[in-house]
Amino acid sequence: EIVLTQSPGTLSLSPGERATLSCRASQSVSSSYLAWYQQKPGQAPRLLIYGASSRATGIPDRFSGSGSGTDFTLTISRLEPEDCAVYYCQQYGSSLPWTFGQGTKVEIK
Amino acid sequence: EVQLVESGGGLVQPGGSLRLSCAASGFIFNNYWMHWVRQGPGKGLVWVSRINSDGSSTNYADSVKGRFTISRDNAKNTLYLQMNSLRAEDTAVYYCVRVLGGSSSISPLGYWGQGTLVTVSS
């Protein structure tokens, strides 16, 4: 099983600041089958990024993903108040089970 | 518009059974792999199970293998999760999820239902 470890646990930043979220895998994620999801309180998760760096339909370009192998990053270039949420990384390669990181909570000061 | 509406959750005693349903609309249901993902109260996301487009291939997390069964009725555009021998640790919101791309088993979780709450308690 591929274990995904996200850091930090909580990120507290002001509007307009840059947020950098990390996701580290216990073994290489094949072909960058790494996705990021956003979950706001009381809502279902929403796909943000897939293939490590491709934005899903309708996702603002302030969200970007990068990385390969075992180290991946989600960057929010200029935080907006509506970006307050928990962000999860997930690997969806050929290796089962599919696994999620434990989440990073982004708070807006 | 893709819509996934779960139902069937509720309170059940340990050892009991429950069947979740997910009514799909807005897309050609029999073209897509489908998944169940759960989230315990205040906890993170956990993948539970998946099924291919024609129902001939299924996979499960070790924690539910032998107790849960995923299935689908493509004529009714409906996904199911039969849950037997339920335990307290199965308490969670269960999400029905469609993959982003259709025919490949390797596709991210593109569309999520709003979830249905299952509570296992005496």
Short mmCIF file of all heavy atoms in Angstrom, two decimals, chain A residues 37 39 44-45 88 90 98-100, chain B residues 6 20 34-40 43-50 61 64 68 70 79 81 83 90 92-99 108-118:
data_model
loop_
_atom_site.label_atom_id
_atom_site.label_comp_id
_atom_site.label_asym_id
_atom_site.label_seq_id
_atom_site.Cartn_x
_atom_site.Cartn_y
_atom_site.Cartn_z
N TYR A 37 -7.70 17.07 -4.10
CA TYR A 37 -9.11 17.36 -3.90
C TYR A 37 -9.26 18.43 -2.84
O TYR A 37 -8.46 18.52 -1.89
CB TYR A 37 -9.88 16.10 -3.45
CG TYR A 37 -9.77 14.95 -4.42
CD1 TYR A 37 -8.69 14.07 -4.35
CD2 TYR A 37 -10.72 14.76 -5.41
CE1 TYR A 37 -8.57 13.03 -5.25
CE2 TYR A 37 -10.60 13.71 -6.31
CZ TYR A 37 -9.52 12.85 -6.23
OH TYR A 37 -9.39 11.81 -7.13
N GLN A 39 -12.02 19.94 -0.05
CA GLN A 39 -13.26 19.67 0.65
C GLN A 39 -13.58 20.80 1.62
O GLN A 39 -12.84 21.02 2.57
CB GLN A 39 -13.21 18.34 1.40
CG GLN A 39 -14.57 17.97 2.01
CD GLN A 39 -14.57 16.62 2.70
OE1 GLN A 39 -13.56 16.20 3.27
NE2 GLN A 39 -15.69 15.92 2.65
N ALA A 44 -19.08 17.63 -0.23
CA ALA A 44 -18.30 16.53 -0.80
C ALA A 44 -16.97 17.07 -1.35
O ALA A 44 -16.86 18.26 -1.67
CB ALA A 44 -19.09 15.86 -1.92
N PRO A 45 -15.98 16.21 -1.44
CA PRO A 45 -14.73 16.64 -2.07
C PRO A 45 -14.94 17.03 -3.53
O PRO A 45 -15.89 16.57 -4.18
CB PRO A 45 -13.84 15.41 -1.96
CG PRO A 45 -14.42 14.62 -0.82
CD PRO A 45 -15.90 14.85 -0.92
N TYR A 88 -6.78 17.27 0.09
CA TYR A 88 -6.28 15.90 0.15
C TYR A 88 -5.54 15.55 -1.14
O TYR A 88 -6.01 15.88 -2.24
CB TYR A 88 -7.43 14.90 0.30
CG TYR A 88 -8.20 14.99 1.58
CD1 TYR A 88 -9.37 15.74 1.67
CD2 TYR A 88 -7.78 14.30 2.72
CE1 TYR A 88 -10.10 15.81 2.86
CE2 TYR A 88 -8.51 14.36 3.91
CZ TYR A 88 -9.66 15.13 3.96
OH TYR A 88 -10.37 15.19 5.13
N GLN A 90 -4.16 12.21 -3.41
CA GLN A 90 -4.60 10.83 -3.60
C GLN A 90 -3.85 10.21 -4.77
O GLN A 90 -3.64 10.88 -5.80
CB GLN A 90 -6.10 10.78 -3.89
CG GLN A 90 -6.68 9.38 -4.04
CD GLN A 90 -7.36 9.16 -5.38
OE1 GLN A 90 -7.66 10.09 -6.11
NE2 GLN A 90 -7.62 7.91 -5.71
N TRP A 98 -6.29 2.32 -3.65
CA TRP A 98 -6.08 3.74 -3.82
C TRP A 98 -6.02 4.36 -2.42
O TRP A 98 -6.80 3.98 -1.54
CB TRP A 98 -7.22 4.34 -4.63
CG TRP A 98 -7.13 4.03 -6.09
CD1 TRP A 98 -6.25 3.18 -6.70
CD2 TRP A 98 -7.97 4.55 -7.11
NE1 TRP A 98 -6.48 3.16 -8.06
CE2 TRP A 98 -7.53 3.99 -8.34
CE3 TRP A 98 -9.03 5.45 -7.13
CZ2 TRP A 98 -8.12 4.29 -9.56
CZ3 TRP A 98 -9.62 5.75 -8.34
CH2 TRP A 98 -9.17 5.17 -9.54
N THR A 99 -5.13 5.30 -2.25
CA THR A 99 -4.96 5.88 -0.92
C THR A 99 -4.98 7.40 -0.98
O THR A 99 -4.64 8.01 -2.01
CB THR A 99 -3.63 5.41 -0.28
OG1 THR A 99 -2.55 5.60 -1.21
CG2 THR A 99 -3.70 3.93 0.10
N PHE A 100 -5.36 7.98 0.15
CA PHE A 100 -5.41 9.43 0.32
C PHE A 100 -4.40 9.83 1.40
O PHE A 100 -4.12 9.06 2.33
CB PHE A 100 -6.79 9.89 0.78
CG PHE A 100 -7.88 9.72 -0.22
CD1 PHE A 100 -8.57 8.51 -0.33
CD2 PHE A 100 -8.27 10.77 -1.04
CE1 PHE A 100 -9.60 8.36 -1.25
CE2 PHE A 100 -9.30 10.64 -1.96
CZ PHE A 100 -9.97 9.43 -2.07
N GLU B 6 -26.98 9.54 -3.48
CA GLU B 6 -26.93 8.36 -2.62
C GLU B 6 -28.17 8.28 -1.72
O GLU B 6 -28.74 9.31 -1.35
CB GLU B 6 -25.67 8.38 -1.73
CG GLU B 6 -24.36 8.46 -2.47
CD GLU B 6 -23.83 9.86 -2.64
OE1 GLU B 6 -24.66 10.80 -2.58
OE2 GLU B 6 -22.61 10.05 -2.79
N LEU B 20 -26.67 0.46 0.33
CA LEU B 20 -26.65 1.81 -0.19
C LEU B 20 -26.92 1.78 -1.69
O LEU B 20 -26.51 0.85 -2.38
CB LEU B 20 -25.29 2.47 0.06
CG LEU B 20 -24.78 2.48 1.50
CD1 LEU B 20 -23.47 3.25 1.58
CD2 LEU B 20 -25.81 3.05 2.46
N MET B 34 -17.04 3.07 -11.43
CA MET B 34 -17.64 3.76 -10.29
C MET B 34 -16.99 3.27 -9.00
O MET B 34 -16.53 2.12 -8.91
CB MET B 34 -19.15 3.50 -10.23
CG MET B 34 -19.94 3.99 -11.42
SD MET B 34 -20.00 5.79 -11.56
CE MET B 34 -20.91 6.25 -10.08
N HIS B 35 -16.96 4.16 -8.02
CA HIS B 35 -16.31 3.88 -6.75
C HIS B 35 -17.20 4.26 -5.57
O HIS B 35 -18.11 5.08 -5.70
CB HIS B 35 -15.01 4.70 -6.62
CG HIS B 35 -13.96 4.38 -7.62
ND1 HIS B 35 -12.74 3.84 -7.25
CD2 HIS B 35 -13.91 4.54 -8.97
CE1 HIS B 35 -11.99 3.68 -8.34
NE2 HIS B 35 -12.68 4.09 -9.39
N TRP B 36 -16.88 3.69 -4.42
CA TRP B 36 -17.38 4.16 -3.13
C TRP B 36 -16.16 4.60 -2.30
O TRP B 36 -15.16 3.90 -2.23
CB TRP B 36 -18.14 3.08 -2.39
CG TRP B 36 -19.47 2.72 -2.98
CD1 TRP B 36 -19.76 1.68 -3.80
CD2 TRP B 36 -20.71 3.42 -2.78
NE1 TRP B 36 -21.09 1.68 -4.13
CE2 TRP B 36 -21.71 2.74 -3.52
CE3 TRP B 36 -21.09 4.55 -2.04
CZ2 TRP B 36 -23.04 3.15 -3.53
CZ3 TRP B 36 -22.42 4.96 -2.07
CH2 TRP B 36 -23.38 4.26 -2.81
N VAL B 37 -16.31 5.77 -1.69
CA VAL B 37 -15.30 6.32 -0.79
C VAL B 37 -16.01 6.71 0.50
O VAL B 37 -17.13 7.23 0.44
CB VAL B 37 -14.60 7.56 -1.41
CG1 VAL B 37 -13.64 8.21 -0.41
CG2 VAL B 37 -13.85 7.18 -2.69
N ARG B 38 -15.40 6.49 1.65
CA ARG B 38 -16.06 6.84 2.90
C ARG B 38 -15.20 7.79 3.73
O ARG B 38 -13.98 7.89 3.53
CB ARG B 38 -16.42 5.59 3.71
CG ARG B 38 -15.25 4.83 4.30
CD ARG B 38 -15.75 3.56 5.00
NE ARG B 38 -14.67 2.81 5.63
CZ ARG B 38 -14.84 1.63 6.23
NH1 ARG B 38 -16.05 1.06 6.28
NH2 ARG B 38 -13.81 1.01 6.77
N GLN B 39 -15.88 8.44 4.67
CA GLN B 39 -15.22 9.41 5.53
C GLN B 39 -15.83 9.32 6.92
O GLN B 39 -17.00 9.69 7.12
CB GLN B 39 -15.37 10.82 4.97
CG GLN B 39 -14.61 11.89 5.73
CD GLN B 39 -14.60 13.21 4.99
OE1 GLN B 39 -15.57 13.58 4.33
NE2 GLN B 39 -13.49 13.94 5.08
N GLY B 40 -15.05 8.82 7.88
CA GLY B 40 -15.51 8.75 9.24
C GLY B 40 -15.70 10.14 9.83
O GLY B 40 -15.14 11.11 9.32
N LYS B 43 -12.84 12.67 10.18
CA LYS B 43 -11.64 11.98 9.69
C LYS B 43 -11.44 12.23 8.19
O LYS B 43 -12.19 12.97 7.56
CB LYS B 43 -11.75 10.49 9.98
CG LYS B 43 -11.79 10.18 11.47
CD LYS B 43 -11.70 8.70 11.73
CE LYS B 43 -11.65 8.43 13.23
NZ LYS B 43 -11.57 6.97 13.52
N GLY B 44 -10.41 11.57 7.63
CA GLY B 44 -10.07 11.74 6.23
C GLY B 44 -10.83 10.78 5.32
O GLY B 44 -11.70 10.04 5.75
N LEU B 45 -10.46 10.84 4.06
CA LEU B 45 -11.12 10.05 3.03
C LEU B 45 -10.46 8.68 2.92
O LEU B 45 -9.24 8.55 2.98
CB LEU B 45 -11.03 10.77 1.69
CG LEU B 45 -11.65 12.17 1.65
CD1 LEU B 45 -11.24 12.90 0.38
CD2 LEU B 45 -13.16 12.08 1.76
N VAL B 46 -11.31 7.66 2.73
CA VAL B 46 -10.82 6.28 2.59
C VAL B 46 -11.52 5.62 1.42
O VAL B 46 -12.75 5.58 1.36
CB VAL B 46 -11.08 5.46 3.88
CG1 VAL B 46 -10.63 4.01 3.68
CG2 VAL B 46 -10.39 6.08 5.08
N TRP B 47 -10.74 5.12 0.49
CA TRP B 47 -11.30 4.39 -0.64
C TRP B 47 -11.85 3.05 -0.17
O TRP B 47 -11.21 2.35 0.63
CB TRP B 47 -10.22 4.17 -1.70
CG TRP B 47 -10.66 3.35 -2.85
CD1 TRP B 47 -11.40 3.76 -3.92
CD2 TRP B 47 -10.41 1.95 -3.05
NE1 TRP B 47 -11.62 2.70 -4.77
CE2 TRP B 47 -11.04 1.58 -4.27
CE3 TRP B 47 -9.74 0.96 -2.33
CZ2 TRP B 47 -11.00 0.29 -4.78
CZ3 TRP B 47 -9.68 -0.32 -2.84
CH2 TRP B 47 -10.31 -0.66 -4.05
N VAL B 48 -13.04 2.68 -0.65
CA VAL B 48 -13.71 1.46 -0.20
C VAL B 48 -13.75 0.39 -1.28
O VAL B 48 -13.38 -0.77 -1.04
CB VAL B 48 -15.15 1.77 0.25
CG1 VAL B 48 -15.93 0.49 0.57
CG2 VAL B 48 -15.14 2.71 1.46
N SER B 49 -14.21 0.76 -2.49
CA SER B 49 -14.44 -0.25 -3.50
C SER B 49 -14.61 0.40 -4.87
O SER B 49 -14.91 1.59 -4.96
CB SER B 49 -15.71 -1.04 -3.16
OG SER B 49 -15.96 -2.08 -4.08
N ARG B 50 -14.45 -0.42 -5.93
CA ARG B 50 -14.68 0.07 -7.28
C ARG B 50 -15.25 -1.06 -8.12
O ARG B 50 -15.06 -2.25 -7.81
CB ARG B 50 -13.40 0.61 -7.91
CG ARG B 50 -12.39 -0.47 -8.29
CD ARG B 50 -11.18 0.13 -8.99
NE ARG B 50 -10.25 -0.92 -9.44
CZ ARG B 50 -9.11 -0.69 -10.06
NH1 ARG B 50 -8.72 0.56 -10.32
NH2 ARG B 50 -8.33 -1.69 -10.43
N ALA B 61 -11.18 -2.53 -0.52
CA ALA B 61 -10.20 -2.31 0.52
C ALA B 61 -10.19 -3.53 1.43
O ALA B 61 -11.22 -4.19 1.63
CB ALA B 61 -10.56 -1.05 1.32
N VAL B 64 -12.89 -4.04 4.22
CA VAL B 64 -14.29 -4.39 3.94
C VAL B 64 -14.42 -5.67 3.12
O VAL B 64 -15.54 -6.16 2.91
CB VAL B 64 -15.03 -3.24 3.21
CG1 VAL B 64 -14.87 -1.93 3.98
CG2 VAL B 64 -14.54 -3.09 1.77
N PHE B 68 -18.45 -6.42 2.33
CA PHE B 68 -19.16 -5.50 1.45
C PHE B 68 -19.14 -6.06 0.03
O PHE B 68 -18.18 -6.71 -0.39
CB PHE B 68 -18.47 -4.13 1.44
CG PHE B 68 -18.62 -3.32 2.71
CD1 PHE B 68 -19.11 -3.88 3.89
CD2 PHE B 68 -18.26 -1.99 2.72
CE1 PHE B 68 -19.24 -3.13 5.05
CE2 PHE B 68 -18.39 -1.22 3.86
CZ PHE B 68 -18.87 -1.79 5.02
N ILE B 70 -19.95 -4.57 -3.93
CA ILE B 70 -20.33 -3.50 -4.86
C ILE B 70 -20.98 -4.13 -6.09
O ILE B 70 -20.56 -5.22 -6.54
CB ILE B 70 -19.10 -2.64 -5.25
CG1 ILE B 70 -19.51 -1.40 -6.03
CG2 ILE B 70 -18.08 -3.48 -6.03
CD1 ILE B 70 -18.35 -0.42 -6.27
N LEU B 79 -25.85 2.41 -8.84
CA LEU B 79 -24.73 1.73 -8.19
C LEU B 79 -25.17 1.33 -6.79
O LEU B 79 -25.94 2.05 -6.14
CB LEU B 79 -23.54 2.69 -8.10
CG LEU B 79 -22.28 2.21 -7.38
CD1 LEU B 79 -21.55 1.16 -8.21
CD2 LEU B 79 -21.36 3.40 -7.07
N LEU B 81 -24.03 -0.63 -2.86
CA LEU B 81 -23.04 -1.17 -1.93
C LEU B 81 -23.80 -1.94 -0.86
O LEU B 81 -24.49 -1.34 -0.04
CB LEU B 81 -22.19 -0.08 -1.30
CG LEU B 81 -21.03 -0.59 -0.44
CD1 LEU B 81 -19.98 -1.31 -1.30
CD2 LEU B 81 -20.37 0.54 0.36
N MET B 83 -23.68 -3.88 2.44
CA MET B 83 -22.77 -3.90 3.59
C MET B 83 -23.32 -4.87 4.63
O MET B 83 -24.43 -4.67 5.15
CB MET B 83 -22.64 -2.49 4.17
CG MET B 83 -22.18 -1.45 3.16
SD MET B 83 -21.88 0.16 3.90
CE MET B 83 -23.51 0.58 4.43
N ASP B 90 -17.20 1.11 10.78
CA ASP B 90 -17.75 1.38 9.45
C ASP B 90 -18.60 2.66 9.45
O ASP B 90 -19.06 3.09 8.39
CB ASP B 90 -18.63 0.22 8.98
CG ASP B 90 -17.83 -1.07 8.78
OD1 ASP B 90 -16.71 -0.99 8.23
OD2 ASP B 90 -18.33 -2.14 9.18
N ALA B 92 -19.59 6.15 8.94
CA ALA B 92 -18.99 7.11 8.03
C ALA B 92 -20.05 7.67 7.09
O ALA B 92 -21.15 7.13 6.97
CB ALA B 92 -17.88 6.46 7.19
N VAL B 93 -19.68 8.75 6.42
CA VAL B 93 -20.41 9.20 5.24
C VAL B 93 -19.85 8.43 4.06
O VAL B 93 -18.62 8.37 3.87
CB VAL B 93 -20.26 10.71 5.02
CG1 VAL B 93 -20.89 11.14 3.70
CG2 VAL B 93 -20.89 11.48 6.19
N TYR B 94 -20.74 7.83 3.28
CA TYR B 94 -20.33 7.06 2.11
C TYR B 94 -20.64 7.86 0.85
O TYR B 94 -21.79 8.25 0.63
CB TYR B 94 -21.04 5.71 2.09
CG TYR B 94 -20.46 4.75 3.10
CD1 TYR B 94 -20.72 4.91 4.47
CD2 TYR B 94 -19.62 3.70 2.72
CE1 TYR B 94 -20.16 4.05 5.42
CE2 TYR B 94 -19.06 2.84 3.65
CZ TYR B 94 -19.34 3.03 5.00
OH TYR B 94 -18.78 2.18 5.92
N TYR B 95 -19.60 8.07 0.05
CA TYR B 95 -19.75 8.83 -1.19
C TYR B 95 -19.72 7.89 -2.39
O TYR B 95 -18.86 7.01 -2.48
CB TYR B 95 -18.60 9.83 -1.35
CG TYR B 95 -18.58 10.95 -0.35
CD1 TYR B 95 -17.71 10.94 0.73
CD2 TYR B 95 -19.43 12.05 -0.49
CE1 TYR B 95 -17.67 11.98 1.64
CE2 TYR B 95 -19.41 13.10 0.42
CZ TYR B 95 -18.53 13.05 1.48
OH TYR B 95 -18.50 14.10 2.37
N CYS B 96 -20.63 8.13 -3.29
CA CYS B 96 -20.64 7.48 -4.61
C CYS B 96 -19.84 8.40 -5.54
O CYS B 96 -20.05 9.62 -5.55
CB CYS B 96 -22.09 7.36 -5.06
SG CYS B 96 -22.35 6.96 -6.79
N VAL B 97 -18.91 7.81 -6.30
CA VAL B 97 -18.01 8.63 -7.10
C VAL B 97 -17.86 8.06 -8.51
O VAL B 97 -17.68 6.85 -8.67
CB VAL B 97 -16.60 8.71 -6.46
CG1 VAL B 97 -15.77 9.76 -7.16
CG2 VAL B 97 -16.69 9.02 -4.96
N ARG B 98 -17.92 8.95 -9.49
CA ARG B 98 -17.66 8.58 -10.87
C ARG B 98 -16.25 9.03 -11.24
O ARG B 98 -15.82 10.12 -10.87
CB ARG B 98 -18.66 9.25 -11.80
CG ARG B 98 -18.74 8.64 -13.20
CD ARG B 98 -19.22 9.62 -14.23
NE ARG B 98 -18.09 10.34 -14.81
CZ ARG B 98 -18.20 11.22 -15.81
NH1 ARG B 98 -19.41 11.47 -16.32
NH2 ARG B 98 -17.14 11.83 -16.31
N VAL B 99 -15.56 8.19 -11.99
CA VAL B 99 -14.24 8.60 -12.44
C VAL B 99 -14.36 9.70 -13.49
O VAL B 99 -15.42 9.90 -14.10
CB VAL B 99 -13.44 7.42 -13.01
CG1 VAL B 99 -13.18 6.37 -11.94
CG2 VAL B 99 -14.12 6.82 -14.23
N PRO B 108 -8.86 9.63 -12.26
CA PRO B 108 -9.15 10.22 -10.94
C PRO B 108 -10.65 10.27 -10.65
O PRO B 108 -11.48 10.04 -11.52
CB PRO B 108 -8.57 11.64 -11.07
CG PRO B 108 -8.62 11.93 -12.53
CD PRO B 108 -8.36 10.62 -13.21
N LEU B 109 -10.95 10.58 -9.40
CA LEU B 109 -12.33 10.61 -8.92
C LEU B 109 -12.95 11.96 -9.27
O LEU B 109 -12.78 12.93 -8.54
CB LEU B 109 -12.34 10.33 -7.42
CG LEU B 109 -11.71 8.99 -7.05
CD1 LEU B 109 -11.54 8.88 -5.54
CD2 LEU B 109 -12.53 7.84 -7.59
N GLY B 110 -13.63 11.99 -10.41
CA GLY B 110 -14.02 13.26 -10.97
C GLY B 110 -15.31 13.87 -10.44
O GLY B 110 -15.44 15.09 -10.38
N TYR B 111 -16.30 13.04 -10.11
CA TYR B 111 -17.61 13.54 -9.70
C TYR B 111 -18.09 12.79 -8.47
O TYR B 111 -18.08 11.56 -8.46
CB TYR B 111 -18.62 13.38 -10.84
CG TYR B 111 -18.25 14.18 -12.07
CD1 TYR B 111 -17.44 13.62 -13.05
CD2 TYR B 111 -18.70 15.49 -12.24
CE1 TYR B 111 -17.08 14.36 -14.17
CE2 TYR B 111 -18.35 16.22 -13.36
CZ TYR B 111 -17.54 15.65 -14.32
OH TYR B 111 -17.17 16.37 -15.42
N TRP B 112 -18.50 13.55 -7.47
CA TRP B 112 -18.88 12.99 -6.18
C TRP B 112 -20.34 13.30 -5.87
O TRP B 112 -20.82 14.41 -6.13
CB TRP B 112 -18.01 13.59 -5.08
CG TRP B 112 -16.54 13.31 -5.19
CD1 TRP B 112 -15.70 13.71 -6.19
CD2 TRP B 112 -15.74 12.62 -4.25
NE1 TRP B 112 -14.41 13.27 -5.94
CE2 TRP B 112 -14.41 12.60 -4.74
CE3 TRP B 112 -15.98 11.98 -3.03
CZ2 TRP B 112 -13.35 11.98 -4.07
CZ3 TRP B 112 -14.94 11.38 -2.35
CH2 TRP B 112 -13.64 11.38 -2.86
N GLY B 113 -21.02 12.32 -5.28
CA GLY B 113 -22.33 12.60 -4.72
C GLY B 113 -22.17 13.34 -3.40
O GLY B 113 -21.05 13.60 -2.94
N GLN B 114 -23.30 13.67 -2.78
CA GLN B 114 -23.27 14.41 -1.52
C GLN B 114 -23.07 13.49 -0.30
O GLN B 114 -22.82 13.97 0.80
CB GLN B 114 -24.54 15.22 -1.35
CG GLN B 114 -24.53 16.52 -2.13
CD GLN B 114 -23.31 17.37 -1.80
OE1 GLN B 114 -23.08 17.75 -0.66
NE2 GLN B 114 -22.49 17.67 -2.81
N GLY B 115 -23.19 12.21 -0.52
CA GLY B 115 -22.91 11.25 0.55
C GLY B 115 -24.15 10.86 1.34
O GLY B 115 -25.14 11.61 1.40
N THR B 116 -24.07 9.68 1.95
CA THR B 116 -25.12 9.21 2.84
C THR B 116 -24.46 8.68 4.11
O THR B 116 -23.44 7.99 4.05
CB THR B 116 -25.99 8.13 2.16
OG1 THR B 116 -27.09 7.80 3.01
CG2 THR B 116 -25.20 6.88 1.84
N LEU B 117 -25.03 9.03 5.25
CA LEU B 117 -24.41 8.71 6.54
C LEU B 117 -24.86 7.34 7.02
O LEU B 117 -26.06 7.05 7.10
CB LEU B 117 -24.78 9.77 7.58
CG LEU B 117 -24.29 9.52 9.00
CD1 LEU B 117 -22.76 9.48 9.06
CD2 LEU B 117 -24.84 10.60 9.95
N VAL B 118 -23.89 6.51 7.36
CA VAL B 118 -24.13 5.21 7.96
C VAL B 118 -23.60 5.25 9.39
O VAL B 118 -22.42 5.56 9.59
CB VAL B 118 -23.44 4.09 7.16
CG1 VAL B 118 -23.53 2.76 7.90
CG2 VAL B 118 -24.05 3.99 5.76
#
